[in-house]
Amino acid sequence: MKLDPSFIWTAFLQILSAIPTTLYITVVSVSVGFLIGICVALIRIYRVPVLYPLAVGYVTFIRGTPMLTHLLLIYFGLPVLIDGLAAHFGWGFRSVSVPMIGFAYISFSITAGAYMSEVVRSGLLAVDRGQLEAAHSIGMTTPQALRRIVFPQALAASLPNLSNSVIGMLHGSTLAFTVSVVDINAKAQIVASTNWKFFEAYLAAALIFWGLTFLIERLTSLIEKRINLYNRGGVA
Amino acid sequence: MGEPFDISYVFSFLPKLLGTLNTTLLIVACSLLAGIIVGFLVALPRLYKVPVLKTCSEIYISFFRGTPILIQLFLFYYGLPEILKLVHVDMTRTPVLVFVILTYGLHTGAYMSEMIRASVMAVDKGQVEAAYATGMTGFQAFTRIVLPQALGIAIPVFSNLVIALLKDTSLAFTLGVMEMTGKAQTLGSLTQHFIETYIALALIYLVISYTIEKLLLVAEHRLLRHEKRSTPEKKSFRVHKNWSYRRIIAEMGSGKGGAG
């Protein structure tokens, strides 16, 4: 093995084709996770009777175990569940027809949901209660107050955490290779082992991830500037 | 897809997995130590704005926070021997564990340095000035006034980092290290009871991370006891004060979001 700097570029071009898969996984898991997160956060904030301990347990379990175990549990557990149910109810649907990437979507969404619920919860709690009361006092209804007053502020407060979570999920998507999804990492492995140039291939993959992370950070700081316009200082 | 589900396997796998717990904890402990040292070294140029070193440490932090740990693992495992071969150092006999600890150490170091920087900067500048006013030297002011306060602020982030590191060690199996996840995969394919193994694995991780969190929470309460107000009428103030610390921590943005 000898270092071959020019191969970094070759590998870079080949790995580029796997970017969409990684982005799909990230976008799906973050957006589904965000929806789960809002539900879980609201359950925890309003202490909904039966669901509250379930939500707490879900968040504790997911945050206390590695993302890889979630993926493996879903990958091995879900087919058993689906096939069991299918046999019981006589469905024509079998777990074999679930594509590999489906397991990644499901598992990463569940993972993201727990982290997102913390992001949403801390964002909502960061908004002063007086804001809601002030909105009520000028005659807004609660949904109006939430939508116009609370949510914009909560979003601004949770944006840094949100961006961290998105980057975390982007990086976590590299685990998808364990269930044979060809994302950037798996593509780098393929390129590396077919050419026997591991270092160059992984360096190219690292550069791509670095670039993607940089883009997300830039984008967030732009949105942050825009969203924090109300917070420009002045009298307060 | 394997054998039918049998809960008793979960209990029989627990002791087998616990046998490899020491490897996992060894990786965590060594990389944590390396991470703290690296973190301090990298944070200092940024805190004191040393010209060239500051840029270097910024690039270092950006790279290790901007790329997935899995890629870093492969990069170091395959890349380091090749680079060292150029200077005629043979690394073919180095155990894999060394590469794993090196990677995790450098990875955690990047997050640690952000944590250290943010918590030192979160201590009010007036505190240092007050320390100077009472005649302390710079070193005394740092060790007696700034450091204790910064530690208290840093603990929640530190706790998150340790737990994230613990969870990240599950990736070491990709290089063939027999830590808990690697052992679980072997057990799974030996017995074809995959779900039971991974449930056992998840339980162990859950217990360890819960313990770490509780331990560090105790440490946080102890380090932040100067924030306590004994008079009851100031109770609301205390909550507020504590909340502001939480806000600082949230805004530091040095935590690892998701993944792990």
Side-chain angles (χ1 to χ4, degrees), chain A residues 41-42 44-47 117-131 150-151 153-155 157-158, chain B residues 243 246-247:
Chain A
L42 288 179
R44 290 187 71 181
I45 288 174
Y46 288 108
R47 294 181 176 266
S117 85
E118 290 291 282
V119 172
V120 174
R121 206 166 68 101
S122 67
L124 284 176
L125 289 178
V127 180
D128 194 352
R129 208 184 157 72
Q131 299 277 331
V150 178
F151 286 159
Q153 292 186 56
L155 187 64
S158 57
Chain B
W243 179 236
R246 291 278 171 185
R247 275 293 285 276

Side-chain angles (χ1 to χ4, degrees), chain B residues 118-139:
Chain B
S119 27
V120 168
M121 273 164 51
V123 178
D124 194 352
K125 206 174 166 62
Q127 299 275 334
V128 188
E129 282 160 8
Y132 286 149
T134 59
M136 285 190 192
T137 63
F139 181 73

